Amino acid sequence: MRTVLVTGVGGAGRSTVAAATALAAARRGSRTLLLSADPAGPGAVLGADTAVAVEPAEVTPGLWAARVDPADYFRTEFLALQDRAATALDMLGARRLDGEELTELPGSEQFALLQALRRASAGGWDVLVVDLPPLRDALSVLALPERLRRLLGRLLPAERQAARALRPMMAQLAGVPMPAGWLYGAAARRDEELAAVQALIGAATTTVRLVAEPGPAAGDALRVARDGLSLYGLRVDALVPNKVLPTDSSDAWLATLAAQQQKCLDGWSEEYGSAWPLREVRHLGRDPRGLDDLGDLGDIADLGGFGAPADPDGLPDPVRDAGPGPYRDPWWVEDRREEDGLLVWSLPLPGAVKADVGLVRRGDELLLTVGPFHRIVPLEAALRRCTVSGAALTDGVLKVRFTPEPGLWPRTP
């Protein structure tokens, strides 16, 4: 399944670009699902008479649409948890809540979106286009599965389930109740669901599409987001400057605005063009509404050639040539033991500033900070037997030097 995650600066028209991308893919013969994280759904963009429900519904031949409903997700999950804990609640004399009196809590939107992505990944679609929240919120959502799986693994390690038969005896010896089996079972189910979403986000056929209206504010937001995209290993297939004004207008006021946009576009092309292909979407002079308007936005969804740009060294395009399965980690380890006695872990962070990069080794993990973004990365087996001896940010690549521990490495004859 080809997955396009559309996000961008707030108000730049990411919902419009997502809908146009999905429509173009459907018209090329792909069975396409447009999934919207906007509670109102993409109905207004697809057409005034188009009602979009939580379950996918066909809008036009080849194109289905669905929206995420945080309230329904929270209600369903809470009632299920209440049923599983019924015995404990009855012992405490607690009164159960009805679905009608439940309203979602803050954060429900993120979990509802992850659940919708998991369901969509199993839907048998050719193309999945996801209209995500604005940039910072979208990055938080896309990083969430990895973070939650790590927390579950720390709080409820899978290996402890092997001691299930010993829990009654351990509870008597310790004098405290041991975690119930349903808790480990629930954790295992959640981990499986999160793993499916994480696999979707990290798949070779999944890319991020950025939408921004040319201007200084959008440029600042893109620079900050670039750090997060690099840190989380997300691949951008294109930067879509939206609402681009015509440059041949005789109106002086409009011509001035168009000139300002063109200056910004020239800067973006120089700054991002080598990594993020720019695909401009012209301004229609109105807010696009309906399938005809979406079809007039231009050919912005050429999925055949819309992958990560080819490697400058001539390596194959990972999106175009890779088959199903997880994408190769863009971070790599260089063995320089013979020359310098080191292993060097290289982490591409284009645009990152040295003052904004933080690095801490803790056990078998590396805690990375780039600007406002954080990620905890498990070390590869070879690096766990080393000590961190230094790091340097050079030409957009963070190189972390590891010195092998003599007592932990086999001696060569």
Side-chain angles (χ1 to χ4, degrees), residues 169 283 287:
M169 181 180 66
H283 203 302
D287 290 334

Side-chain angles (χ1 to χ4, degrees), residues 1-53:
M1 181 176 68
R2 178 71 168 91
T3 303
V4 184
L5 306 172
V6 182
T7 183
V9 182
R14 63 186 185 282
S15 296
T16 300
V17 171
T21 300
L23 177 62
R27 287 179 172 176
R28 284 173 172 77
S30 298
R31 189 170 181 268
T32 304
L33 172 63
L34 171 62
L35 179 63
S36 175
D38 188 341
V45 175
L46 293 173
D49 299 330
T50 303
V52 177

Side-chain angles (χ1 to χ4, degrees), residues 54 135 157 182 218 224 256-257 349 372:
V54 176
L135 262 173
W182 69 267
V224 174
T256 300
L257 293 179
L349 298 173

Side-chain angles (χ1 to χ4, degrees), residues 192-258:
E192 183 178 354
E193 294 174 355
L194 290 169
V197 179
Q198 187 177 357
L200 170 67
I201 296 172
T205 50
T206 297
T207 53
V208 176
R209 188 161 303 179
L210 300 175
V211 184
E213 187 173 351
D220 294 340
L222 289 174
R223 291 185 191 94
V224 174
R226 179 171 54 182
D227 293 337
L229 291 164
S230 301
L231 182 62
Y232 301 141
L234 300 169
R235 295 168 304 285
V236 176
D237 62 22
L239 170 59
V240 182
N242 194 24
K243 305 178 184 178
V244 177
L245 299 171
T247 58
D248 56 355
S249 175
S250 59
D251 183 278
W253 179 78
L254 186 59
T256 300
L257 293 179

Side-chain angles (χ1 to χ4, degrees), residues 58-91:
E58 192 168 17
V59 177
T60 190
L63 175 61
W64 283 257
R67 63 180 176 85
V68 179
D69 188 345
D72 179 72
Y73 168 81
F74 177 79
R75 188 182 303 111
T76 301
E77 291 294 312
F78 186 91
L79 293 177
L81 176 62
Q82 186 174 243
D83 290 340
R84 290 195 295 268
T87 302
L89 293 175
D90 292 341
M91 290 178 61

